[in-house]
Amino acid sequence: MGKLQTDRTLGLGIDAGGTETRWALSEPDGEIVAEGTVSGLSALLMAKPAGREQVHATFSQLAKDVLEAGHPLRVCAGLTGFGGDGNVLVGWLSDLLDVRLDAITLCNDIEIAYLDAFEPGEGYLVYAGTGSIAAFIDENGEFHRAGGRGVMLDDAGGGFWIAREAMRRIWRREDEEPGAWQDSPMAHAVFDHVGGSDWSFSRSFMYTQERGEIGKLALAVAMSAGADPSARHILLQAGRELARLALALVTRFGERPITLSGRAAELHPLIFEAMRADLPHGLTLQKRTARPHHAAAHLAARPRN
């Protein structure tokens, strides 16, 4: 979708996650006039030369697609893994999009996702994508979190965790009973996804793919949940882990409405059901389809005094 814009009043919103990077162009009145997706990325990739090349290539493709639809005046970008040092990233976006350096705002992708769901101080966002995190922006604009420590440490309930749990269960059972995978619908779905049932396929997938690609394996787990008790158990446990994140913020800051969002949260109804069951009845919980790239675009397009 999209129409050519030449008056430079547009705001560009970017939501960069491990699975994909979404962008949107917004008019000052909030109308989204164009949007699209490119490859996923993480600010953590900037730590190595190859990763920097990957991020620049993704930004280049994004800029090409955006400029075919319109020329933004300002940019608001939320990046997974972003820790505050964004001078190089801002410079790249400025050059590629021909936007002033001071017209580009970078932040963590979860901050944008929160503002897509709540006004500051209003509630708690639990976001389950490749990883998992609970977020709260208070009335003073300060960002608070529970979880979101990365897939190597935790991020339970996210897509990567679901994929890893499935692999762990499958191969532990193979250790005890070689060939048992043939009776497991989940194992069949997982092995179809990675290319084969030999350990070499699983090993190559888990240790050479980017975390976003590994997270997509959670789709195979969800697809097999209707026929495989192990898959159902993993999804139920994912919901319980997400409830734990929400309760951590409730304990610290008091009761507020809770929203569950993110692609992993939408994998299967069992995740939401298990999260609801683990939360006190008095807490409000809703599920929301995330459009943080729209929220970022609206922020970028908002007139400045």
Side-chain angles (χ1 to χ4, degrees):
M1 61 177 290
K3 58 183 179 179
L4 183 62
Q5 301 288 323
T6 58
D7 61 2
R8 293 178 62 83
T9 63
L10 296 173
L12 171 63
I14 300 171
D15 171 42
T19 303
E20 67 178 10
T21 299
R22 295 178 287 180
W23 62 267
L25 285 170
S26 174
E27 294 274 17
D29 64 4
E31 179 188 0
I32 299 296
V33 298
E35 60 183 307
T37 62
V38 293
S39 300
L41 64 87
S42 167
L44 299 175
L45 292 171
M46 296 295 289
K48 297 181 179 180
R52 292 163 71 93
E53 291 179 8
Q54 181 180 336
V55 173
H56 190 273
T58 300
F59 275 174
S60 296
Q61 183 61 56
L62 183 148
K64 178 178 179 296
D65 294 349
V66 167
L67 293 176
E68 288 178 355
H71 197 163
L73 177 63
R74 288 182 292 271
V75 179
C76 179
L79 286 76
T80 187
F82 181 72
D85 183 9
N87 290 338
V88 173
L89 296 168
V90 168
W92 287 350
L93 289 171
S94 176
D95 291 341
L96 293 166
L97 292 164
D98 187 25
V99 174
R100 297 191 326 271
L101 290 170
D102 63 0
I104 299 173
T105 301
L106 295 186
C107 62
N108 192 286
D109 60 329
I110 300 304
E111 295 180 54
I112 297 297
Y114 181 92
L115 294 173
D116 180 47
F118 293 114
E119 293 295 322
E122 186 179 8
Y124 304 122
L125 173 70
V126 178
Y127 195 91
T130 301
S132 64
I133 188 173
F136 174 53
I137 298 178
D138 66 23
E139 294 85 347
N140 298 318
E142 185 175 354
F143 180 81
H144 307 273
R145 67 193 293 161
R149 311 299 178 185
V151 298
M152 294 298 293
L153 182 62
D154 197 341
D155 277 14
F160 187 101
W161 180 90
I162 292 170
R164 186 181 60 205
E165 284 296 296
M167 279 289 194
R168 183 180 65 83
R169 286 172 173 266
I170 291 167
W171 284 108
R172 281 190 171 192
R173 190 176 177 207
E174 284 300 296
D175 288 340
E176 299 162 357
E177 186 183 348
W181 72 269
Q182 297 180 61
D183 299 325
S184 166
M186 181 176 73
H188 277 277
V190 166
F191 289 157
D192 284 347
H193 188 96
V194 303
S197 61
D198 188 82
W199 163 240
S200 63
F201 291 99
S202 295
R203 179 183 60 203
S204 176
F205 181 83
M206 294 300 292
Y207 294 108
T208 65
Q209 295 292 326
E210 295 291 339
R211 65 188 191 98
E213 288 301 312
I214 294 173
K216 291 178 183 178
L217 182 59
L219 291 166
V221 180
M223 288 172 53
S224 61
D228 196 310
S230 290
R232 289 197 296 275
H233 186 274
I234 291 170
L235 297 177
L236 288 169
Q237 186 60 35
R240 297 183 188 108
E241 294 288 353
L242 298 176
R244 186 193 69 81
L245 292 177
L247 287 172
L249 291 183
V250 170
T251 299
R252 287 156 57 188
F253 301 106
E255 294 188 3
R256 287 177 171 83
I258 301 165
T259 290
L260 174 64
S261 191
R263 293 202 163 197
E266 298 177 355
L267 285 171
H268 198 281
L270 285 173
I271 295 175
F272 181 84
E273 292 169 12
M275 183 178 179
R276 173 66 274 175
D278 256 33
L279 292 174
H281 291 298
L283 289 176
T284 300
L285 174 66
Q286 65 174 351
K287 186 165 67 172
R288 174 186 174 92
T289 299
R291 297 186 185 276
H293 58 311
H294 286 192
H298 293 154
L299 289 172
R302 187 176 298 166
R304 297 182 180 179
N305 297 327

